[in-house]
Amino acid sequence: MAAEACLRARKFVPSFAVPFHKGQHGRVVVIGGSIEYSGAPCYAAMAALRTGADLAWVICAPEAAGAIKAFSPELIVIPGLPSAEENERVARLPAARRDAVARLAAQNLLGLVRAARPSAVVVGPGLGREVAVQAAVSAAIEMLCQGGEDGTGPAVVLDADALWAVACKPSIVRGGSRVVITPNAAEAARIAAAAAAAAKPEAAAADARAAAAAAKPGPAEEGGALGLSKALGGGVTVVLKGAEDVVARAPVPGSAAAKAAGADGADGGEAFAVSHAGSPRRCGGQGDVLAGALGALASWAGDDLPAASAAACAILRDAARSAFAKHRRATVTPDILSELGLAFERVLPDTLGVELERAE
Ligand SMILES: NC(=O)C1=CN([C@@H]2O[C@H](COP(=O)(O)OP(=O)(O)OC[C@H]3O[C@@H](n4cnc5c(N)ncnc54)[C@H](O)[C@@H]3O)[C@@H](O)[C@H]2O)[C@@H](O)CC1
Ligand SMILES: Nc1ncnc2c1ncn2[C@@H]1O[C@H](COP(=O)(O)OP(=O)(O)OP(=O)(O)O)[C@@H](O)[C@H]1O
């Protein structure tokens, strides 16, 4: 099934045979980066570029902007998230006032996102869990997942600390048909527990947060990636990362896909494992590379986000394996970024569209 999904992905990868202008092969915005974590958004944005997107933005905390700009001149850096000072101020506000401030910050953030005219938005790498940042990003995710006024908004990839926002309020992704979440085992357990708590009659917002905080990786995500997509209301593509990555999308109840599946007596949806050989080394940042590569592929995929996810997982794993073969225990994430181009061609061959002269 993963192989079949990669075949689907080969069909939507844009070719270099046809003339195009800067931006047409993808404009990816990464929302993340804080004083603690400046590497994660760089890895995600560089992965989007190395996968073939033309332009990449990082919208980050003001304190992280200098470090992110210094990482690479390729990145367009906008210090558009709440500052440390703003986080301290908002943390002291009463809850109702905090919500109003969050809505304003989310509108501001979405203004910056829209100005980039993105094909995909990757939210979460290095974002952190400060109260003002989480409140603003949670509200922004909710608006992005609705797909914009005409329903033709960018693809949305939620990773790392954006998944904390989903665990605090699972309903923010409800109805999002062009949304992918990329949890590791711990993040999947939190979201599964929160979604189950939120589904109980008369559940309060705090119940989901408490269930998420208490969740441990293990039995909580036993329903697997398909169960998680279903628990989130269907439509959302889930990439459950691990020794093998599981990609799944449950149909939205009442949709044509759900009715067609129901007629066969099946629950419907799609679920498959990507077990392409990866690296035995688990250096931090591989999840960020996956999220960024997925941002580029999702830009081209239309509705077929399971195919984009399968291709992104296989490419990341292939690149990590190549980097490990060269650098062994010294492998770090920038080594994996350098391998993405050739890994792409091994996973999705014959997608360049132009003949290259062979180097002797
Ligand atoms: N250089 C950087 O700036 C980096 C920043 N990062 C950022 O760090 C922040 C926190 O990310 P974390 O991933 O630590 O999130 P969490 O704080 O939620 O930690 C996840 C935990 O789950 C554990 N885990 C993962 N897979 C597991 C499995 N199969 N079974 C059991 N436990 C498992 C991990 O060891 C980790 O301790 C994010 O903003 C992230 O983007 C990381 O991406 C790493 C690199
Ligand atoms: N045991 C493993 N063997 C091979 N590849 C793995 C293994 N675990 C994870 N991976 C690969 O690494 C990618 C990142 O998964 P990981 O669980 O490290 O995410 P993460 O914790 O979010 O990463 P990070 O915080 O470092 O960005 C996965 O998509 C998967 O392809």
Side-chain angles (χ1 to χ4, degrees):
M1 278 289 270
E4 190 263 329
C6 284
L7 277 179
R8 281 174 6 221
R10 277 178 72 184
K11 299 209 175 97
F12 60 63
V13 173
S15 152
F16 292 96
V18 181
F20 67 99
H21 62 75
K22 179 182 67 186
Q24 278 184 313
H25 279 193
R27 308 165 66 94
V28 177
V29 170
V30 175
I31 302 178
S34 53
I35 189 73
E36 293 93 341
Y37 307 124
S38 54
C42 298
Y43 296 150
M46 287 307 297
L49 291 173
R50 296 269 190 196
T51 302
D54 292 335
L55 293 162
W57 285 255
V58 177
I59 303 181
C60 60
E63 298 83 359
I68 295 172
K69 277 182 204 284
F71 183 88
S72 172
E74 305 298 323
L75 304 177
I76 305 164
V77 183
I78 304 175
L81 289 173
S83 64
E85 199 182 325
E86 180 71 352
N87 276 307
E88 275 182 31
R89 189 181 72 77
V90 171
R92 289 195 297 269
L93 293 175
R97 180 87 189 91
R98 210 187 278 172
D99 286 349
V101 172
R103 272 196 300 279
L104 207 64
Q107 291 292 359
N108 194 21
L109 183 54
L110 282 179
L112 297 173
V113 171
R114 287 194 187 113
R117 292 179 284 118
S119 50
V121 184
V122 178
V123 195
L127 189 67
R129 295 175 193 168
E130 295 292 343
V131 66
V133 169
Q134 280 287 320
V137 165
S138 175
I141 291 172
E142 194 162 12
M143 293 181 222
L144 281 169
C145 289
Q146 300 316 311
E149 283 112 46
D150 55 359
T152 58
V156 181
V157 179
L158 303 178
D159 183 41
D161 297 318
L163 300 176
W164 185 262
V166 177
C168 290
K169 191 179 174 194
S171 62
I172 59 175
V173 295
R174 189 164 284 274
S177 60
R178 292 200 67 221
V179 179
V180 190
I181 65 168
T182 57
N184 61 28
E187 291 155 344
R190 278 188 214 120
I191 298 171
K200 292 198 178 120
E202 295 177 41
D207 296 341
R209 281 200 295 276
K216 297 263 179 301
E221 75 277 10
E222 251 169 17
L226 192 60
L228 201 50
S229 177
K230 203 171 171 181
L232 291 170
V236 173
T237 299
V238 175
V239 178
L240 180 49
K241 299 179 292 192
E244 58 178 19
D245 300 319
V246 182
V247 176
R249 178 164 68 180
V252 176
S255 65
K259 283 183 191 146
D264 289 348
D267 272 356
E270 182 176 19
F272 54 85
V274 182
S275 45
H276 198 98
S279 162
R281 179 148 153 72
R282 308 256 36 83
C283 58
Q286 294 185 59
D288 306 313
V289 174
L290 175 74
L294 182 48
L297 283 149
S299 296
W300 311 322
D303 184 49
D304 200 355
L305 294 178
S309 302
C313 290
I315 291 167
L316 174 275
R317 296 171 80 95
D318 195 290
R321 186 184 53 168
S322 290
F324 185 77
K326 288 182 187 157
H327 303 281
R328 315 232 174 160
R329 69 173 56 252
T331 308
V332 283
T333 299
D335 303 323
I336 300 174
L337 284 172
S338 306
E339 299 293 330
L340 282 175
L342 291 178
F344 191 114
E345 288 180 45
R346 283 189 291 269
V347 173
L348 305 178
D350 303 322
T351 42
L352 276 184
V354 288
E355 290 293 327
L356 293 176
E357 281 175 32
R358 281 200 182 280
E360 291 307 321

